[in-house]
Amino acid sequence: MAHRKTFILSIDSGCWDYLDPLLAQGRMPNLERLIQQGSRGVLESTIPPITPVAFASFITGLNPGKHGIFDWAVRRGRGFQSASAVSRRGTPFWHYLNAQGVRVGLLNIPMTYPPQPLDGFLIAGIVVPRSARDFTYPRPLLEAIEQRHGPYEVEVSRRPAPPDQCACPDGDLDLDVEDPVRPVAHGGDPEAYLQAWLEQERRQTDIALELIDEYRVDVLAFNYVSLDRLNHFASCFEHVERALENVDAQIGRFMERFPEANYIVMSDHGSRRIQGAFLLGKWLAEHGYLRYGEQNLRIPRHEVNFVLTRLFQEHYGWRGVGERIARRLVGGLLRIFPPALLEPLWKRLAAQAPGAFAYRFTSRVDWPRTQVYARSPNGPLFINLRGRDEHGWVRPGRQYEAIREAVIADLRRVRDPFTGEPLFQRIYRREELYQGEAAAEAPDIILDPYGSSCDLIVDNSPQAFHFVNRLTRFGDHSHEGLFVLSGPDFARLPDGEHRASILDIPATLLHLYNVPIPENFDGRVLTDLLAADFLRRHPVRTQAADGDGAGPQREYSDEEMAQLTEHLRELGYL
Ligand SMILES: [Zn+2]
């Protein structure tokens, strides 16, 4: 049976603050046309408004308390591991669509690696280990794409290689991102970085347009990420604008080919400009919640490559092919030695080049004297709880609550140095924010700095201040993303701004195909934005949730863990 096509085109980090000036100047004509023929509004993200959490909600229709993704890393045993489709709970929306014969294509949607079988195709978005070749479904799809379009990379490398150099898949690491004071330097040319993104997204659109026909998909979900990366890493707004113009041109290609389709343009969260950063780890240490001890130099195997890169490139100024070969050789040797035997060697190197090891802030924490810690710059805080955390000692119950209340009260007093307002608009206890079977894995406290003029740094070096200027990061995320609903099954309400939640998108999508809404969904069908005639013919129905589509079971190898960790550090997410 032929279904009407629906295109879900996500502009990662898209927000009206950034898009409205471009729309007013006529620089996003295709999106403008969709708005005129449909409706527009603010799409509220998850808390925190970050890609893995928001996309896990988009995929499952569930709040984080049910899908279990609260940050880029998730709890595993007493430690943490990179969030992925493996750690995501809940049934993806395409499972329900496939059950009704609706075929689905997914291109560059985060949190879909490792891929699960589906009726349609899948090319995973971040996070994918760099050496992985299994990020498509069906698996031979990757080879077919590469035969036609050349090597496919999930992410544009942050430091574009000069044209006369080959780009080694794990050769270039941008090591400056954790450093709170030194400006982030684009080793490469910012213009080349922008151009690489424009090319990447044109090519991904070429691929999408081919695969829609080849796999006869009815629904395509596609995430454009250039805006997000340029928002973080560009130093001027012009590059952000040019990325958006390019995305608009790609949206126009779908509209031209499929004028009768439904279009859902959305974003997983919004963006805001920032001027500084708050050194959260430093603040915790100064207020006695966290203590630094002697640096632990038991480098786990998956960090060996990271440390060697910092040593060779950063401290000894070694670059190029020789460095990479040496690093592979030395790395290979070091990996087969028992870590305890290597400790004296690491100690000697650390004495010579302490900066290469400075990122290991968690290892330098004096755990028996630490009450509260952060693992990422995205807002979650953890109490060092006995029986749960690796080095936990805080007793559950009264002691836990007393520490939690004290740190919340102290953090409420922190002011944004640029506005004088409280830095955190809200500070949540886990139970205030998340409900569901995974809520027990949530962080103990969730900070919300997403309306302030600062982002957070979980810093690693004791210094004399709490805030630093952000000289080279243009922006960070905000709560308010965007949506545009346009097409034959949507209402024409171009004037005015509507409001919805990212959780409403999967519910609305299922309803477009007359699929009953699973009872455990946390979002609703956006009935007021559907065409009246469509709604009359298709009343909203519900069905019992189906557990069959839960995530794939697969463990990461040490090598994959190393690549995931490096990749997230490179992006500044860990
Ligand atoms: Zn995002």
Side-chain angles (χ1 to χ4, degrees):
M1 191 176 96
H3 297 281
R4 193 191 299 288
K5 287 196 196 304
T6 300
F7 293 96
I8 303 177
L9 304 175
S10 161
I11 307 175
D12 203 301
S13 278
C15 62
W16 295 117
D17 280 354
Y18 281 18
L19 268 68
D20 273 334
L22 292 180
L23 287 164
Q25 293 163 32
R27 290 167 71 182
M28 297 190 77
N30 296 302
L31 190 66
E32 180 63 36
R33 200 142 54 88
L34 290 178
I35 295 169
Q36 289 311 320
Q37 293 164 6
S39 62
R40 62 172 261 173
V42 166
L43 194 65
E44 264 174 60
S45 185
T46 48
I47 298 176
I50 60 172
T51 305
V53 184
F55 267 103
S57 284
F58 165 75
I59 289 169
T60 60
L62 306 177
N63 89 81
K66 293 180 187 165
H67 65 58
I69 309 280
F70 303 99
D71 197 350
W72 285 99
V74 292
R75 277 194 181 278
R76 186 158 176 278
R78 294 196 164 192
F80 291 84
Q81 101 171 20
S82 172
S84 70
V86 178
S87 40
R88 192 194 69 222
R89 301 183 197 187
T91 301
F93 67 77
W94 52 88
H95 179 84
Y96 295 107
L97 289 171
N98 284 169
Q100 302 297 320
V102 180
R103 295 172 61 81
V104 178
L106 302 161
L107 208 166
N108 208 35
I109 300 295
M111 295 292 115
T112 53
Y113 180 87
Q116 289 170 270
L118 77 166
D119 293 333
F121 72 88
L122 187 166
I123 303 171
I126 62 168
V127 186
V128 175
R130 273 213 180 122
S131 67
R133 300 283 299 162
D134 63 345
F135 58 85
T136 62
Y137 180 86
R139 199 164 165 178
L141 173 59
L142 180 60
E143 210 162 302
I145 290 170
E146 294 197 330
Q147 273 168 13
R148 277 178 269 177
H149 298 275
Y152 182 92
E153 274 192 306
V154 175
E155 180 81 22
V156 167
S157 159
R158 269 202 62 196
R159 190 175 286 185
D164 57 335
Q165 256 182 16
C166 79
C168 176
D170 67 349
D172 284 325
L173 266 182
D174 204 319
L175 298 169
D176 301 329
V177 287
E178 314 96 354
D179 193 321
V181 249
R182 196 174 24 173
V184 178
H186 279 297
D189 170 4
E191 178 66 29
Y193 184 61
L194 170 67
Q195 288 301 333
W197 272 115
L198 303 186
E199 178 53 30
Q200 167 90 343
E201 297 196 328
R202 281 192 287 265
R203 208 156 62 110
Q204 285 176 325
T205 309
D206 293 343
I207 293 167
L209 287 167
E210 288 171 8
L211 298 183
I212 289 163
D213 293 335
E214 282 173 38
Y215 286 85
R216 294 173 286 108
V217 297
D218 305 298
V219 172
L220 175 80
F222 182 171
N223 187 38
Y224 288 98
V225 294
S226 57
L227 168 62
D228 180 83
R229 301 303 186 270
L230 289 158
N231 184 48
H232 285 307
F233 301 130
S235 46
C236 64
F237 195 53
E238 195 218 317
H239 284 194
V240 171
E241 292 177 326
R242 283 166 62 195
L244 280 170
E245 281 179 311
N246 185 60
V247 169
D248 186 76
Q250 306 317 310
I251 292 174
R253 295 172 66 192
F254 290 105
M255 292 165 64
E256 197 177 320
R257 269 277 297 281
F258 302 100
E260 284 304 304
N262 288 316
Y263 285 87
I264 299 175
V265 179
M266 58 165 268
S267 63
D268 53 341
H269 48 77
S271 294
R272 72 187 201 284
R273 292 211 57 170
I274 53 167
Q275 291 170 279
F278 175 61
L279 304 183
L280 179 60
K282 171 74 167 57
W283 183 95
L284 288 170
E286 278 210 352
H287 288 74
Y289 293 108
L290 179 147
R291 299 219 186 235
Y292 288 111
E294 201 194 330
Q295 192 168 16
N296 176 356
L297 287 172
R298 291 195 173 201
I299 309 294
R301 277 187 297 174
H302 70 265
E303 286 182 12
V304 166
N305 188 43
F306 188 71
V307 173
L308 289 179
T309 313
R310 292 175 67 103
L311 265 173
F312 289 175
Q313 297 188 4
E314 187 129 312
H315 289 277
Y316 303 134
W318 238 20
R319 303 218 164 249
V321 179
E323 185 272 335
R324 287 201 283 269
I325 294 171
R327 177 151 48 84
R328 289 245 166 121
L329 279 173
V330 176
L333 276 175
L334 293 182
R335 264 171 240 227
I336 53 180
F337 275 81
L341 291 183
L342 282 172
E343 223 176 310
L345 170 70
W346 290 129
K347 278 214 168 101
R348 198 146 1 122
L349 288 169
Q352 274 179 37
F357 299 83
Y359 75 97
R360 306 204 76 233
F361 61 92
T362 49
S363 312
R364 288 203 298 139
V365 168
D366 178 359
W367 290 108
R369 294 197 299 157
T370 286
Q371 302 174 337
V372 185
Y373 64 98
R375 292 194 78 260
S376 84
N378 304 313
L381 283 181
F382 299 93
I383 310 284
N384 194 17
L385 190 65
R386 190 165 72 188
R388 179 191 70 182
D389 292 67
E390 196 179 351
H391 312 278
W393 60 268
V394 173
R395 288 188 304 278
R398 205 186 297 172
Q399 192 177 22
Y400 169 91
E401 290 301 344
I403 291 171
R404 194 161 69 148
E405 292 315 306
V407 71
I408 289 175
D410 283 344
L411 281 164
R412 285 217 168 104
R413 286 194 279 273
V414 179
R415 300 256 155 196
D416 182 333
F418 300 95
T419 64
E421 298 290 312
L423 182 71
F424 302 107
Q425 287 71 56
R426 294 286 303 271
I427 300 176
Y428 299 93
R429 296 162 191 84
R430 62 200 291 172
E431 62 274 16
E432 294 172 325
L433 211 46
Y434 304 124
Q435 298 83 40
E437 62 196 67
E441 292 155 31
D444 300 295
I445 299 165
I446 301 93
L447 305 175
D448 178 0
Y450 291 95
S452 76
S453 42
C454 293
D455 62 354
L456 306 180
I457 292 178
V458 179
D459 65 311
N460 46 45
S461 46
Q463 289 166 63
F465 37 74
H466 291 137
F467 286 96
V468 291
N469 285 319
R470 277 298 206 188
L471 300 174
T472 57
R473 271 169 93 86
F474 183 82
D476 193 59
H477 299 179
S478 74
H479 292 291
E480 298 199 335
L482 61 82
F483 72 83
V484 173
L485 304 179
S486 192
D489 296 332
F490 289 116
R492 238 184 144 114
L493 300 160
D495 300 318
E497 193 102 316
H498 302 273
R499 244 191 135 76
S501 154
I502 192 165
L503 291 159
D504 302 334
I505 299 294
T508 305
L509 174 67
L510 294 195
H511 189 59
L512 283 177
Y513 291 90
N514 207 19
V515 174
I517 310 308
E519 277 158 357
N520 65 345
F521 265 37
D522 289 311
R524 64 184 187 93
V525 179
L526 296 168
T527 47
D528 37 342
L529 302 177
L530 286 168
D533 179 50
F534 178 86
L535 204 55
R536 215 169 18 248
R537 284 180 288 122
H538 304 96
V540 176
R541 297 174 300 147
T542 56
Q543 62 172 314
D546 186 344
D548 288 354
Q553 292 305 308
R554 181 173 166 292
E555 295 289 325
Y556 287 120
S557 69
D558 279 353
E559 180 61 26
E560 286 174 323
M561 275 289 288
Q563 292 175 14
L564 293 170
T565 308
E566 281 177 15
H567 186 41
L568 291 176
R569 284 213 174 101
E570 191 183 331
L571 290 168
Y573 294 151
L574 284 183

